[in-house]
Amino acid sequence: MKIIVVCPGKLKDKWLKEGIDEYKKRLSRFAALEFIEVADCPDSVPVNEALKREGELILSHIKPGEVVWAMDLGGENVSSEKFSSYLVSDIEKGGGTLKIVIGGSNGISPEVRARADRRMCFGNITLTHLMTRLVLSEQLYRGFKIAKGEKYHK
């Protein structure tokens, strides 16, 4: 199984890299986790133009027929159990692969939002798009643990 996360921006913070690497290692017995980083737009670019550019780059990594999740503040707020259920069913639908999109600092373009098979959020809080990578990695691990009936989730 494979989970591919497509997201704008380069991850530079060592502590975030280390946290994500830890969850990639933990996840490896369930699925391979890969990140595809696309260029993000500088703050000097108008928001609509930034969303358009980043959206086009994100969509260039999504093939027809792939199951796609978008991490989106306007998406469904799900429990860890529901997240786990969606994870298992959508990986199965995707033939063992799931693509997940995290938007940049301005969010997700309408085109990416429209392409998503499922839109989810981690609650009403705002996370940086870089921090979302770490939270997502942990929730993927938790989701697999729940699905397998293993201890971790409380």
Side-chain angles (χ1 to χ4, degrees):
M1 285 189 276
K2 190 172 199 176
I3 299 168
I4 302 165
V5 181
V6 184
C7 44
K10 293 264 185 229
L11 186 59
K12 297 173 186 150
D13 294 318
K14 184 180 175 188
W15 66 275
L16 275 174
K17 284 182 185 177
E18 289 172 350
I20 291 167
D21 286 345
E22 176 62 27
Y23 283 106
K24 283 171 94 171
K25 185 172 75 176
R26 291 183 188 191
L27 271 165
S28 66
R29 55 181 263 226
F30 303 114
L33 177 61
E34 175 187 336
F35 287 85
I36 297 173
E37 296 178 329
V38 299
D40 58 347
C41 289
D43 290 339
S44 60
V45 175
V47 172
N48 287 341
E49 181 62 25
L51 287 171
K52 182 177 184 290
R53 285 188 206 171
E54 290 173 0
E56 288 170 353
L57 290 171
I58 288 168
L59 289 171
S60 74
H61 291 279
I62 297 173
K63 297 176 188 141
E66 289 183 317
V67 176
V68 178
W69 287 5
M71 302 311 298
D72 181 7
L73 279 174
E76 181 182 359
N77 189 359
V78 297
S79 66
S80 293
E81 294 84 3
K82 190 63 151 176
F83 184 94
S84 175
S85 171
Y86 287 159
L87 178 63
V88 171
S89 68
D90 288 351
I91 284 179
E92 189 175 295
K93 282 181 201 166
T97 300
L98 175 64
K99 286 258 173 95
I100 303 175
V101 173
I102 298 172
S105 61
N106 293 307
I108 295 176
S109 74
E111 294 80 12
V112 171
R113 195 173 279 124
R115 173 57 183 88
D117 297 290
R118 193 176 305 281
R119 293 173 38 230
M120 287 188 284
C121 72
F122 289 133
N124 294 327
I125 61 170
T126 302
L127 297 169
T128 67
H129 60 289
L130 298 173
M131 184 67 156
T132 300
R133 296 182 196 192
L134 177 60
V135 175
L136 175 63
S137 300
E138 190 279 336
Q139 284 299 298
L140 290 167
Y141 177 66
R142 183 179 298 271
F144 279 114
K145 295 288 274 186
I146 291 169
K148 297 288 184 186
E150 296 180 7
K151 260 192 163 168
Y152 178 73
H153 174 69
K154 296 184 174 140

